[in-house]
């Protein structure tokens, strides 16, 4: 801003290591994006991913019928777009699955067309 | 009374107990796991978020997945275990009778008696409750520790409330803030008495900042409102001595307060058995993770609270191997007879494990783990014996929430063999002082 025509469009706090660099995402007049403030290559890669396409592994629970526990922990097998997390949680919340369940079982295929499956995080036996 | 006899009794079946038991069984020795909960796995079962296993398995797993791998191993190796079983007493062996006695209770068998050549303590830690931090106000319902709420939400299917204030920025508190947001609840604030977050940076970013949950540092809860159900809390700014600053009170309406204000190794059993505890409330151990009771070893969060389950597993495997060595090679012998060197926590060091080093082991690699008291940048980690500094290491950044681990061979770094103590300190680097002058 002060020394050039670049403006800071976002500040990303790097979580790759405990140093926690603040990486500034800058845009110049012609719309080119640049990154500043990172101190290692992994930091730059993290900031680029976070800026262009932030993704997360979603972890939540799904209701279970006649299970040893009323819930089974589940997750996406690959990261999904951060913007889709809330919708995915809601989709999982309305489903119910039958015990017994094995860790790794696919409980929902290709959730919201994201390419990610919802898989069980643990074994869960039937209630005796 | 039903009696069991085994080589090694493992108390607790969380990450530490499972890894230790598997290690012992693989060496061909008998092992029995005693677990007070309804199933194997411990606290990792309720930690449904990911981030586990990067060191141990080189992949990113959730807590239940991590536990499942060890549970599968327990079944494969046919390791016996007792569930819903609470160990209530440990009796050390005597010179005439080397077996230790454990007294335990469960609903199926009543009081049971376990005879073991070695015992591995793996009982984990518990959360600091409201009483430990003295918040004034009534005693309405709606106050939980963060881990308790985590169990309710992730395993039992109960939601403790709808609008939350979380006191303390420990990892479980921050992870619950995100979890509750996903469950449709409103987390109004995370309030931290210190000027910085107590948990890991990644949790601050991914659990709070991602969901615009305010983090209010230098504040604490000074009053709990509501008689039957909590109606809100007053938070106030604190000064450097944690005293309330007059005129800074703010009221936040909420129906639930979660406490994420620290973890304490759970050692009543250890203490009652006669083992000495150190300042972190974990048992005093030597470099073989042996407590002050011969043949009783400790690992995982009962020894020291860890940041990563992978580190718990690594420590538990070591404890398992030390118990194996104890039984196979020196059952009844005492390596401590050649004398010990005390490890002292010096400047900006909260505690050090191991607490003591056997002089007969100083030619071996020893894993030191410790935490700083406060965050600092550009520091020097120093080991000193009575003659002066024997080891230095630079570190860019230290923070209490990150345990520091150093692998050292004391003989190689020139330790004076006749010394009685070594001191570990984390001090500002001298060149920084010069720059600032």
């Amino acid at each position: 801003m002060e020394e050039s025509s670049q403006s800071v469009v976002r500040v990303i706090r790097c979580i790759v290591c405990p140093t926690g660099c603040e990486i500034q995402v800058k845009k110049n007049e012609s719309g080119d994006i640049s990154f500043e403030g990172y101190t290692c290559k992994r930091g730059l890669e993290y900031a680029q991913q976070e800026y262009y396409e932030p993704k997360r592994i979603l972890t939540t629970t799904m209701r279970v019928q006649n299970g040893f526990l009323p819930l089974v922990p589940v997750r996406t097998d690959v990261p999904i777009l951060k913007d889709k997390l809330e919708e995915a949680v809601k989709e999982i919340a309305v489903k119910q699955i039958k015990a017994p369940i094995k860790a790794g079982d696919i409980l929902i295929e290709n959730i919201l067309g994201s390419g990610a499956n919802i898989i069980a995080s643990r074994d869960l036996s039937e209630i005796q | 009374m039903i009696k069991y006899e085994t080589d090694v009794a493992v108390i607790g079946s969380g990450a530490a107990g499972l890894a230790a038991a598997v290690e012992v069984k693989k060496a061909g020795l008998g092992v029995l796991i005693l677990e007070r909960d309804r199933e194997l796995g411990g606290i990792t079962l309720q930690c449904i978020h990911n981030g586990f296993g990067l060191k141990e398995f080189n992949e990113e797993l959730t807590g239940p997945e991590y536990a499942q791998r060890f549970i599968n191993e327990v079944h494969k190796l046919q390791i016996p275990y007792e569930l819903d079983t609470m160990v209530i007493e440990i009796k050390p062996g005597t010179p005439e009778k080397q077996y230790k006695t454990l007294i335990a209770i469960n609903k199926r068998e009543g009081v049971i008696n376990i005879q073991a050549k070695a015992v591995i303590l793996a009982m984990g830690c518990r959360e600091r409750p409201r009483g430990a931090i003295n918040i004034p106000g009534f005693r309405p319902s709606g106050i939980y520790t963060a881990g308790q709420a985590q169990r309710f939400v992730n395993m039992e299917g109960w939601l403790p409330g709808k609008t939350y204030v979380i006191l303390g920025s420990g990892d479980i508190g921050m992870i619950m803030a995100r979890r509750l947001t996903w469950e449709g609840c409103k987390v109004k604030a995370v309030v931290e008495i210190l000027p910085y977050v107590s948990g890991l940076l990644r949790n601050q970013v991914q659990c709070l900042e991602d969901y615009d949950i305010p983090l209010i540092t230098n504040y604490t809860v000074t009053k709990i409102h509501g008689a039957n159900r909590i109606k809100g809390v007053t938070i106030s700014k604190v000064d450097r001595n944690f005293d309330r600053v007059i005129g800074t009170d703010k009221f936040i309406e909420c129906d639930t307060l979660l406490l994420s204000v620290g973890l304490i190794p759970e050692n009543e059993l250890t203490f009652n058995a006669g083992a000495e505890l150190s300042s972190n409330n974990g048992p005093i151990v030597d470099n073989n993770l042996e407590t002050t009771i011969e043949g009783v070893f400790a690992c995982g969060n009962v020894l020291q609270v860890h940041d990563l389950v992978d580190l718990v597993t690594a420590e538990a495997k070591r404890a398992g191997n030390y118990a194996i060595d104890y039984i196979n090679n020196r059952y009844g012998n005492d390596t401590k007879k050649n004398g010990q060197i005390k490890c002292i926590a010096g400047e900006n060091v909260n505690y050090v494990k191991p607490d003591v080093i056997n002089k007969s082991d100083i030619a071996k690699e020893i894993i030191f783990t410790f935490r700083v008291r406060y965050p600092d940048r550009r520091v020097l980690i120093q080991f000193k014996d009575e003659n002066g500094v024997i080891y230095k290491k630079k570190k860019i950044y230290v923070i209490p929430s990150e345990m520091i681990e150093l692998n050292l061979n004391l003989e190689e770094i020139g330790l004076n063999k006749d010394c009685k103590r070594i001191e570990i300190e984390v001090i500002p680097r001298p060149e920084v002082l010069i720059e600032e002058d």
Side-chain angles (χ1 to χ4, degrees), chain B residues 344-350 352 373 423-426:
Chain B
I344 310 285
E347 193 178 324
N348 196 13
V349 175
N350 203 345
V352 182
R373 289 181 185 275
E423 187 177 326
I424 296 153
E425 58 182 20
V426 178

Side-chain angles (χ1 to χ4, degrees), chain A residues 13-15 17-20 56-61 68-71 73 75 82 85 89 103 121-123, chain B residues 38-39 48-50 62 64-65 68 153-157 179 182 201 204-206 209-211 397 402:
Chain A
R13 188 106 72 93
C14 182
I15 59 159
C17 83
T19 311
R56 302 280 186 272
I57 295 268
L58 171 64
T59 58
T60 182
T61 51
F68 170 69
L69 296 174
L71 300 170
R75 69 172 175 102
K82 203 178 131 192
L85 290 174
V89 169
S121 259
R122 58 167 285 172
D123 294 357
Chain B
R38 60 197 170 191
E39 56 179 339
I48 64 163
H49 52 280
N50 59 318
T62 64
E65 286 174 312
Q68 190 73 55
V153 175
N154 291 344
M155 296 185 76
E156 315 290 349
R179 179 79 186 116
W182 280 350
L201 175 72
Q204 184 188 345
V205 172
Q206 295 201 336
E209 292 171 12
D210 266 10
Y211 299 94
Y397 192 66
E402 309 249 352

Side-chain angles (χ1 to χ4, degrees), chain B residues 9-18 32-45 71 80-87 102 104-108 112 114 122-124 151:
Chain B
V10 177
I11 308 177
S13 78
L18 291 174
L32 174 66
I33 303 172
L34 301 156
E35 169 56 52
R36 70 178 169 190
D37 206 347
R38 60 197 170 191
E39 56 179 339
L40 298 175
I43 219 72
T44 42
L45 293 177
I71 294 168
Y81 55 87
E82 291 272 341
L83 300 176
D84 297 308
T85 301
M86 184 83 187
V87 177
L102 304 188
I105 45 171
N106 68 34
K107 275 198 267 186
R108 300 174 305 276
I112 57 178
I114 297 125
M123 295 91 78
R151 177 154 174 147

Side-chain angles (χ1 to χ4, degrees), chain A residues 13-14 17-21, chain B residues 195-201 204 348 370 372 374-381 393-404 426-427 429:
Chain A
R13 188 106 72 93
C14 182
C17 83
T19 311
C21 295
Chain B
Y196 51 86
V197 167
S198 334
L200 301 175
L201 175 72
Q204 184 188 345
N348 196 13
F370 52 97
V372 293
Y374 49 86
D376 203 355
R377 275 178 194 275
R378 306 185 69 188
V379 294
L380 208 54
I381 297 170
K393 187 186 162 88
K394 286 181 184 174
K395 205 157 162 43
I396 295 171
Y397 192 66
V398 288
I399 187 165
S401 58
E402 309 249 352
M403 192 165 84
I404 303 168
V426 178
I427 55 168
R429 270 186 237 164

